[in-house]
Amino acid sequence: MKLALLAAAWLVGLLLGFQLDVPTRPLLMLGASTLPLALILAMMRRSVWPAILVGVLLLGIWRVEITETPTMPLVARQSQQVTVRGKIADDPEAASRTTRFVLNIDAIDRGSGWQQLGGKSLVYAEPPDSLISSREPPYFRKGDFLTLQGTLQNPEPPEATDDFDYPAYLASQGISGVLWSRQAEWVLEKSANHWTTGWLFDLRQELSQSLESALPMPHSALAQALLLGIRGTLPPDVVQDFRSTGTSHLLAISGMHVGILLVIATGASAWALGRRRQVYLLLPFLGIWMYALLSGLPISVVRAALMGTVYLAVLGLGRPRSALPPLAISALIITALDPLALQQISFQLSFAAMAGIIIALPYQARVSAAMSQWISDSSRWWTVWLNHLAGWLVAALIVSLGATLATLPLVAFNFGRIPLMGIPATIIVLPMLPFILGGSLATAVAGLIHPALGQVVGVAAWVPLSYLLGVVSNSPGPTVSGGWITAPLVWGWYLALGSLLIEPRGWGFLKQLTRRLRLGATSPDPAPTGQLRPTGLTSTVIGVGLILVVANVFLWGQLLSRPDGNLHVYFLNVGQGDSTLIVTPNGRQVLIDGGPASESATTALSDVLPAWDRSLDLVALTHLDADHSRGLLEVMDRYQVEAALVGIQDSTAALYPQWQAVIDRNQASVIKLVAGQRLTLDDGVVLETLHPSASPLSGSPSGFSSNRNNNALVFRLVYQEISFLFTADIEAEAERQLLQSSSDLDSDVLKVAHHGSKTSTTEAFLAAASPSVAVISAGVKNRYGHPHHDVLTRLQQAVGADQVYQTAQQGRIEFITDGYSLWVESQK
């Protein structure tokens, strides 16, 4: 209790220091005066604690006063062109079109010269060619020193997250601005990373790539977020599902994750090694710090790991009677090192989560004891295993409930919204967290040994990840306003929870519940002496059985996913872009284009191909515009690709260096195509190249982008009597050249050029193609207005309104043919 009083006095001093502006010299004089006061009280045989507490309180105020804080605001206006210098503070993540990282800014130039400035900015930057040619994605690294030019803005919430206070979330991490940069200069002499930092970054990247190779999207992205803290590849719809259900905190590794891992690791270590010697505490200690290393050592995880270490240390010195000592020591250490942490939401949430878990531990121990009593009366080995599992699940639910209840008021108070499904959804999915972490780690390590082994072991991670995704995506997400959650209510909530720290047995209904569990578990008859227990042989049999089950799932999955003898053409829903998958009757797979974002094609493919299918026979890059090519960069890294089909490549395109780098990195074969070349994909399945000709089109009045469009690859896929025409982004000029050539344009299915732009799909070209069905690949309410009204009218007149399909309306569109008949299936 004395330690708790010291911590309370220190924290009160910090809070007063944030509110008051007191000179440091008088504070030191007042603090020093408490020492003789304590001596006088001791000589008078009175308690010295009042003097000590006052001294600690004054010391807390003094600690705040000597803490340096930024004096110049980062964002002077809502939007401003600036140049900044600084060092990358975290592990960069590949965003959909750029690379995202946090920059510690040293200086800023707003147009009137350099000014020294301390602050943090969230940066979205395109890598310079020097990094593209020398590194793998995401190109930037923690510790790089950069000079960036771009637009500096105040943080604003995304349009799809009106109920999420994004600026407050960034402010909790000390980030006060967002910089959008298209020009970055890498300062080599200042960017030398420490060998430990470089080793850690490389390890995380290798584990991340291993997960990408072993698991489909979005499972691999979710595993990267939960195990490694890498969230850049999470699809936007998955992120929105987590936010709408109030479970987005699960995506950010924090005190809740470390606390759950600490409890599970401590219990497992005690079960395996026993509690007689304190060596069993070594396993959870190594576990939480290994998790912190794998997650990239973000400050929130380091703080949580420090709290866990203190708890284990107190536990090792002598089982604590309450959770107050470890919590008090942790609060003292963390806030002494960084007093500003007390004001950061990330620290408050991490501390609250760990506190809630530690508070729940006595109740978890009682339930476990009750389950153990129940187990001791069992006479069948399978009942023993079942009760072990039930006891673990009940304990996990209690710990999860403790963490959720401890963080709920902070979330409501700081973000102003209360997701009604947040608590039940969190409690339901958190018990799966250890299986997700363990399965993901095993999958990543197995993938480093061999990709095929990673895919087999990946089943252990795929199952709990699918459970988590299923719960989040199928849970309704209504929210209510949290504006009525005031500071007094928050303090009252935590005072009520704090009472459990002082007297864990104070709630009568919990005592009665524990008593009933014990009474219900007690058998009136003595347990038979010959009862079966799990022996080493039994455990081996169970282990072999589980391996056989996994092997059967894998083999049956392979059998059920065999080709059906038909040609399948999938027009994938990738937003404002193009991506088409062709699967031949014998199972050969060809991907044409990859969509506008790095995860576009990989996410779409995961909904079509089996989870273990990580190979493509061919990929085709029609042209280097980002809405067609950016997604292929990720496909080339994530899938085993036999060869890449390309046409005329524009070396001035922004993505040309990245495309060349990914080809070199994966040592991919490249096949250059011109009009007249034919590829036999399967028996009776031919891919004809219709465009461009050997002499590229040039001089288009629309500029370089139009040149790339008009020189894009155009394919005609023929299977017996059914044909498809893929027109990429060609415009009227290329259509005229195709009409003048001897190419056969007649096709049953037309992929409409350039997303239905008014510069394409002329009447003459449409008449020559004479399709029966048309498909438009475009984004919902895209800023270009695609498809254009005139084009849509022409298509409807040519094929009928019900035969014009749009990915923006129907989602993924699949055509199935046996070579003579044609069937269409849409996602919506």
Side-chain angles (χ1 to χ4, degrees):
M1 182 59 68
K2 293 180 179 179
L3 188 58
L5 290 175
L6 285 175
W10 170 260
L11 296 177
V12 170
L14 294 180
L15 293 174
L16 290 175
F18 292 131
Q19 302 297 324
L20 303 176
D21 186 11
V22 183
T24 56
R25 187 170 298 177
L27 280 175
L28 287 176
M29 294 177 62
L30 285 173
S33 67
T34 59
L35 294 177
L37 178 61
L39 291 175
I40 293 173
L41 290 175
M43 294 174 61
M44 297 174 60
R45 297 184 178 180
R46 300 291 181 89
S47 175
V48 299
W49 275 99
I52 294 176
L53 294 178
V54 171
V56 171
L57 185 145
L58 293 173
L59 186 61
I61 300 176
W62 174 79
R63 181 65 180 90
V64 173
E65 293 298 332
I66 65 171
T67 301
E68 296 183 359
T69 57
T71 57
M72 183 182 298
L74 184 58
V75 181
R77 296 197 300 268
Q78 176 59 30
S79 180
Q80 186 179 21
Q81 295 297 314
V82 300
T83 303
V84 299
R85 291 198 300 249
K87 182 177 290 187
I88 298 179
D90 65 345
D91 282 338
E93 297 178 354
S96 59
R97 292 174 173 83
T98 56
T99 302
R100 179 179 60 234
F101 53 84
V102 175
L103 187 75
N104 283 332
I105 297 178
D106 294 336
I108 185 170
D109 182 1
R110 306 182 192 272
S112 57
W114 288 102
Q115 293 176 303
Q116 297 300 312
L117 174 71
K120 289 184 179 181
S121 174
L122 182 64
V123 177
Y124 293 86
E126 295 183 1
D129 292 349
S130 58
L131 290 182
I132 293 174
S133 60
S134 60
R135 291 179 177 175
E136 297 183 4
Y139 306 112
F140 296 103
R141 288 190 179 183
K142 182 179 180 180
D144 282 348
F145 194 89
L146 304 173
T147 299
L148 300 164
Q149 295 181 9
T151 304
L152 185 62
Q153 299 176 342
N154 283 313
E156 295 180 354
E159 294 180 1
T161 56
D162 295 334
D163 60 338
F164 177 68
D165 194 341
Y166 187 62
Y169 169 73
L170 293 181
S172 70
Q173 304 177 60
I175 298 172
S176 56
V178 178
L179 178 67
W180 301 87
S181 173
R182 287 186 172 272
Q183 185 172 347
E185 179 184 350
W186 178 47
V187 185
L188 176 61
E189 61 271 16
K190 294 187 178 182
S191 299
N193 291 318
H194 193 273
W195 71 269
T196 54
T197 305
W199 172 83
L200 179 59
F201 180 86
D202 292 339
L203 174 62
R204 295 181 71 234
Q205 287 300 114
E206 290 178 2
L207 293 174
S208 174
Q209 293 172 4
S210 180
L211 288 172
E212 290 178 351
S213 300
L215 296 170
M217 284 286 285
H219 298 73
S220 60
L222 188 56
Q224 289 172 333
L226 295 176
L227 179 66
L228 305 174
I230 300 175
R231 290 175 287 169
T233 58
L234 280 168
D237 56 336
V238 173
V239 176
Q240 183 57 34
D241 286 340
F242 275 88
R243 286 175 179 167
S244 63
T245 55
T247 54
S248 58
H249 56 280
L250 296 178
L251 297 177
I253 300 177
S254 62
M256 182 176 294
H257 300 70
V258 175
I260 295 291
L261 180 63
L262 173 66
V263 172
I264 299 302
T266 303
S269 182
W271 176 78
L273 304 176
R275 297 180 183 269
R276 294 183 179 180
R277 296 182 179 179
Q278 305 300 341
V279 69
Y280 82 94
L281 299 175
L282 185 62
L283 179 61
F285 169 77
L286 295 176
I288 59 176
W289 281 106
M290 179 182 293
Y291 187 34
L293 282 172
L294 290 178
S295 64
L297 294 174
I299 188 62
S300 59
V301 179
V302 172
R303 289 168 178 163
L306 180 60
M307 292 176 63
T309 301
V310 172
Y311 175 76
L312 292 173
V314 174
L315 197 63
L317 294 174
R319 192 173 184 84
R321 296 181 179 179
S322 72
L324 279 176
L327 288 177
I329 296 174
S330 301
L332 285 170
I333 294 175
I334 294 174
T335 55
L337 296 174
D338 182 15
L340 296 177
L342 194 60
Q343 293 182 316
Q344 297 175 2
I345 301 175
S346 59
F347 166 72
Q348 296 170 11
L349 290 174
S350 291
F351 191 87
M354 288 292 291
I357 290 171
I358 294 175
I359 291 173
L361 285 178
Y363 305 102
Q364 179 263 341
R366 294 181 189 179
V367 173
S368 298
M371 298 302 296
S372 298
Q373 180 64 33
W374 197 350
I375 291 170
S376 66
D377 296 326
S378 176
S379 59
R380 298 183 178 180
W381 68 266
W382 60 268
T383 307
V384 175
W385 282 96
L386 181 62
N387 286 335
H388 270 301
L389 178 62
W392 182 88
L393 288 175
V394 171
L397 284 173
I398 292 176
V399 172
S400 303
L401 181 62
T404 305
L405 291 177
T407 55
L408 177 65
L410 282 174
V411 173
F413 178 74
N414 287 286
F415 299 111
R417 305 293 295 179
I418 303 177
L420 299 182
M421 284 300 299
I423 292 180
T426 302
I427 293 174
I428 290 173
V429 301
L430 268 185
M432 290 294 105
L433 186 61
F435 296 105
I436 292 175
L437 297 179
S440 299
L441 180 59
T443 301
V445 173
L448 294 180
I449 300 173
H450 195 280
L453 181 61
Q455 293 181 19
V456 174
V457 178
V459 177
W462 182 84
V463 173
L465 286 169
S466 298
Y467 170 82
L468 175 57
L469 289 169
V471 170
V472 172
S473 62
N474 293 293
S475 299
T479 61
V480 297
S481 174
W484 55 276
I485 303 293
T486 60
L489 284 176
V490 175
W491 281 107
W493 180 275
Y494 285 115
L495 286 175
L497 291 181
S499 65
L500 298 179
L501 286 171
I502 300 173
E503 182 52 55
R505 300 184 180 183
W507 288 15
F509 76 92
L510 287 175
K511 183 185 294 185
Q512 293 180 6
L513 176 61
T514 305
R515 185 180 302 168
R516 288 179 181 178
L517 284 173
R518 289 178 176 174
L519 290 175
T522 303
S523 174
D525 300 321
T529 57
Q531 62 184 4
L532 295 175
R533 294 290 181 184
T535 62
L537 179 60
T538 305
S539 300
T540 302
V541 172
I542 293 175
V544 172
L546 290 175
I547 294 174
L548 292 176
V549 168
V550 172
N552 270 278
V553 170
F554 183 79
L555 292 175
W556 275 102
Q558 291 276 24
L559 183 63
L560 293 175
S561 63
R562 294 181 64 185
D564 58 5
N566 293 323
L567 174 69
H568 296 255
V569 178
Y570 301 88
F571 294 92
L572 304 176
N573 183 20
V574 292
Q576 184 59 25
D578 264 17
S579 187
T580 305
L581 176 68
I582 301 169
V583 181
T584 69
N586 287 320
R588 291 180 63 84
Q589 298 165 172
V590 180
L591 180 68
I592 302 176
D593 290 333
S598 59
E599 72 278 358
S600 296
T602 54
T603 302
L605 288 173
S606 67
D607 295 331
V608 177
L609 300 179
W612 49 83
D613 190 347
R614 313 300 296 168
S615 63
L616 293 169
D617 295 279
L618 297 171
V619 299
L621 174 63
T622 60
H623 61 305
L624 266 170
D625 278 0
D627 59 340
H628 290 247
S629 61
R630 192 183 299 276
L632 278 187
L633 301 175
E634 186 72 13
V635 169
M636 295 296 294
D637 276 333
R638 189 173 295 199
Y639 285 77
Q640 296 179 2
V641 178
E642 289 189 10
L645 309 178
V646 300
I648 297 173
Q649 293 190 288
D650 181 6
S651 59
T652 64
L655 289 179
Y656 180 79
Q658 295 188 40
W659 173 254
Q660 288 300 119
V662 78
I663 291 294
D664 296 339
R665 184 164 59 247
N666 293 283
Q667 299 180 344
S669 300
V670 177
I671 301 174
K672 294 184 179 180
L673 299 176
V674 294
Q677 292 180 298
R678 294 159 54 94
L679 297 174
T680 300
L681 303 181
D682 208 335
D683 293 337
V685 181
V686 178
L687 188 67
E688 303 173 349
T689 306
L690 306 183
H691 189 74
S693 64
S695 300
L697 293 172
S698 61
S700 172
S702 300
F704 290 107
S705 176
S706 181
N707 287 340
R708 286 197 294 271
N709 289 345
N710 281 319
N711 288 311
L713 281 171
V714 175
F715 295 114
R716 183 170 180 263
L717 178 69
V718 181
Y719 179 40
Q720 304 298 348
E721 299 179 2
I722 302 296
S723 56
F724 298 78
L725 184 59
F726 305 100
T727 54
D729 274 357
I730 62 170
E731 301 178 7
E733 184 180 1
E735 291 182 356
R736 285 194 297 269
Q737 188 179 68
L738 280 168
L739 290 172
Q740 295 169 2
S741 69
S742 58
S743 301
D744 183 6
L745 300 178
D746 184 70
S747 302
D748 297 282
V749 180
L750 170 67
K751 200 289 296 183
V752 178
H754 204 185
H755 324 290
S757 167
K758 65 179 180 179
T759 60
S760 306
T761 318
T762 59
E763 291 184 3
F765 184 81
L766 185 58
S770 63
S772 301
V773 184
V775 177
I776 302 174
S777 180
V780 178
K781 297 180 180 179
N782 61 86
R783 60 181 177 142
Y784 306 101
H786 295 158
H788 193 271
H789 177 266
D790 294 344
V791 174
L792 193 58
T793 301
R794 286 200 293 271
L795 289 170
Q796 292 174 346
Q797 292 174 350
V799 302
D802 59 340
Q803 295 301 309
V804 178
Y805 291 86
Q806 300 185 49
T807 58
Q809 297 179 359
Q810 283 91 25
R812 182 182 67 248
I813 301 165
E814 177 186 4
F815 289 85
I816 308 168
T817 177
D818 58 0
Y820 304 96
S821 301
L822 187 66
W823 302 272
V824 185
E825 295 181 0
S826 61
Q827 188 176 12
K828 302 178 183 178

